[in-house]
């Protein structure tokens, strides 16, 4: 009997009472659909991580867990935030693949099949579902998010930051390894990027209906700022290297200028009309450059220590041998549907 590839779904829950039952129905339909099609993979578990929900969601997920043996309810002792709740769910998962998604149906469960196909065909370790259009239909919010990600991409040289999204498919062992090294201030997607460069992106239509209808979101301004802070502190900032390089350039410039003015002093003493400014200029330039260079080096060492404290691994191994099984099945299903 062939090994059936297990998929785990992680849903952090904070204010999803209105959506949880419909989300579970959609996941249940996906689970039955895979079973009817005799897919070589199955939805093994759905883990709802209650992040001290404010609207009675905790009781709802407990009831759903009683009705379905493949539904697991986790309750965090207090509100820790979306990423810690997601990490908790990942660490309780057992699937060969792990899907993380929001509670409010802006992430449609039927897209999981497309994410899985994209991952196995390309042999990606992570696939992000990226919105094709504005998610919130609010220009300030959507453009602000994109602008911050572009800025962080430039600051860190991490090409995948612009793709970061809470709707993602991750290889299970890698997801659990990344989750296990995360500290309370680690940005999960940054931690995932320490383990692999095989990252795929799948354009998907997404709409945050809760925000569009009510103007309220599951993410407060405070939580969005917390996400931004975590991303900054989990990343190596390119400006540290740029600062050290500029300091080195200033030192080199001051040394060349010193030789130039020394040449003028010896051979053309009348060319320097104001006494004293030359030595002052060179001293400020040289020691300012030296200070910037040394500070940049120190901060880079400090950044490396911080990343080690965050758990950045020396290496990680991965098994992609089952990908072909899934790819072949999708190809047969596509031919049968044609």
């Amino acid at each position: 009997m062939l090994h059936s590839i297990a998929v785990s779904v992680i849903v952090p829950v904070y204010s999803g009472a209105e959506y949880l039952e419909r989300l579970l129905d959609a996941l249940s339909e996906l689970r039955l659909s895979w079973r009817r099609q005799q897919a070589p993979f199955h939805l093994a578990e759905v883990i709802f991580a209650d992040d001290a929900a404010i609207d009675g969601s905790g009781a709802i997920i407990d009831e759903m867990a009683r009705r379905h043996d493949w539904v697991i309810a986790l309750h965090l002792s207090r509100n820790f935030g979306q990423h810690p709740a997601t990490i908790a769910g990942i660490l309780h998962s057992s699937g060969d693949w792990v899907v993380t998604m929001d509670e409010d149906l802006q992430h449609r469960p039927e897209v999981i099949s497309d994410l899985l196909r994209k991952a196995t065909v390309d042999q990606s370790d992570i696939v992000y579902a990226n919105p094709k259009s504005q998610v919130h239909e609010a220009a300030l919010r959507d453009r602000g998010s994109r602008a911050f990600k572009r800025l962080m991409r430039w600051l860190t040289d991490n090409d995948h930051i612009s793709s970061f999204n809470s709707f993602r498919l991750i290889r299970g062992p890698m997801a659990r390894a990344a989750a296990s090294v995360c500290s309370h201030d680690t940005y999960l997607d940054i931690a995932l990027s320490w383990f692999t460069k095989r990252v795929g992106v799948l354009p998907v239509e997404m709409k945050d209906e809760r925000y569009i209808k009510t103007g309220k979101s599951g993410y407060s301004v405070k939580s969005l700022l917390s996400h931004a802070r975590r991303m900054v502190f989990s990343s190596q900032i390119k400006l540290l290297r740029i600062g050290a390089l500029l300091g080195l350039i200033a030192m080199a410039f001051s040394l060349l200028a010193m030789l130039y003015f020394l040449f003028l002093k010896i051979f053309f003493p009348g060319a320097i009309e104001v006494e004293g400014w030359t030595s002052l200029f060179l001293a400020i330039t040289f020691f300012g450059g030296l200070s910037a260079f040394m500070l940049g080096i120190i901060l880079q060492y400090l950044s490396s220590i911080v990343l080690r404290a965050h758990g950045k691994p020396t290496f990680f191994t991965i098994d992609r041998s089952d990908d072909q099984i899934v790819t072949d099945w999708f190809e047969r299903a596509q031919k049968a549907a044609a």
Side-chain angles (χ1 to χ4, degrees), residues 289-305:
L290 178 63
S291 299
F293 175 70
M294 295 302 295
L295 181 60
I297 295 297
I298 291 169
L299 289 176
Q300 285 193 69
Y301 274 115
L302 181 60
S303 177
S304 297
I305 292 170

Side-chain angles (χ1 to χ4, degrees), residues 1 6 12 36 62 85 90-91 112 130 161 175 194 198 201 222 241 257 267 272 292 311 313 320:
M1 181 178 178
R36 285 194 299 266
D62 282 338
I90 290 173
L91 290 175
I112 295 174
N130 266 20
I161 282 182
W194 297 338
R198 294 194 182 190
V201 176
K222 181 180 178 181
R241 299 192 299 273
F267 295 102
I272 302 176
R320 303 185 180 96

Side-chain angles (χ1 to χ4, degrees), residues 28-208:
S28 181
E29 177 57 35
L30 177 68
R31 186 170 183 264
L32 292 173
S33 172
W34 286 353
R35 183 178 294 177
R36 285 194 299 266
Q37 298 174 66
Q38 297 182 332
F41 44 85
H42 66 285
L43 181 54
E45 58 192 2
V46 177
I47 302 175
F48 291 99
D50 169 22
D51 189 26
I54 57 175
D55 62 352
S57 295
I60 294 173
I61 64 174
D62 282 338
E63 174 59 29
M64 293 191 301
R66 280 192 288 270
R67 296 200 314 263
H68 305 282
D69 59 3
W70 47 276
V71 174
I72 300 171
L74 297 181
H75 299 279
L76 277 65
S77 59
R78 65 171 179 82
N79 177 251
F80 287 90
Q82 185 205 29
H83 276 222
T86 303
I87 289 167
I90 290 173
L91 290 175
H92 281 80
S93 70
S94 60
D96 300 293
W97 290 92
V98 169
V99 176
T100 65
M101 60 193 308
D102 288 351
E103 63 191 2
D104 56 6
L105 293 174
Q106 65 172 289
H107 301 158
R108 295 177 289 114
E110 60 267 26
V111 174
I112 295 174
S113 295
D114 299 324
L115 293 173
L116 190 57
R117 179 175 184 173
K118 173 75 173 175
T120 54
V121 168
D122 296 346
Q123 288 212 311
S124 299
D125 298 320
I126 307 168
V127 178
Y128 290 100
N130 266 20
K132 293 180 178 179
S133 58
Q134 291 188 354
V135 176
H136 306 95
E137 295 187 359
L140 181 62
R141 190 181 183 101
D142 289 312
R143 290 175 184 172
S145 175
R146 288 197 298 270
F148 176 74
K149 287 180 178 179
R150 283 196 295 268
L151 174 64
M152 285 301 300
R153 180 179 177 179
W154 179 81
L155 287 175
T156 64
D157 274 341
N158 187 330
D159 293 335
H160 304 302
I161 282 182
S162 57
S163 304
F164 287 175
N165 194 297
S166 54
F167 194 12
R168 31 170 129 70
L169 173 77
I170 320 162
R171 291 188 190 273
M174 182 176 293
R176 288 182 284 274
S180 69
V181 303
C182 286
S183 70
H184 72 286
D185 248 358
T186 308
Y187 197 86
L188 176 59
D189 295 292
I190 296 294
L192 288 168
S193 70
W194 297 338
F195 287 81
T196 185
K197 298 299 181 185
R198 294 194 182 190
V199 178
V201 176
L202 181 70
V204 173
E205 192 62 48
M206 293 188 213
K207 292 295 178 184
D208 188 347

Side-chain angles (χ1 to χ4, degrees), residues 243-261:
L245 179 61
L246 289 177
L248 193 61
I249 291 172
M251 290 172 59
F253 171 78
S254 67
L255 292 174
L256 291 173
M258 180 185 68
L259 294 175
Y260 171 72
F261 287 120

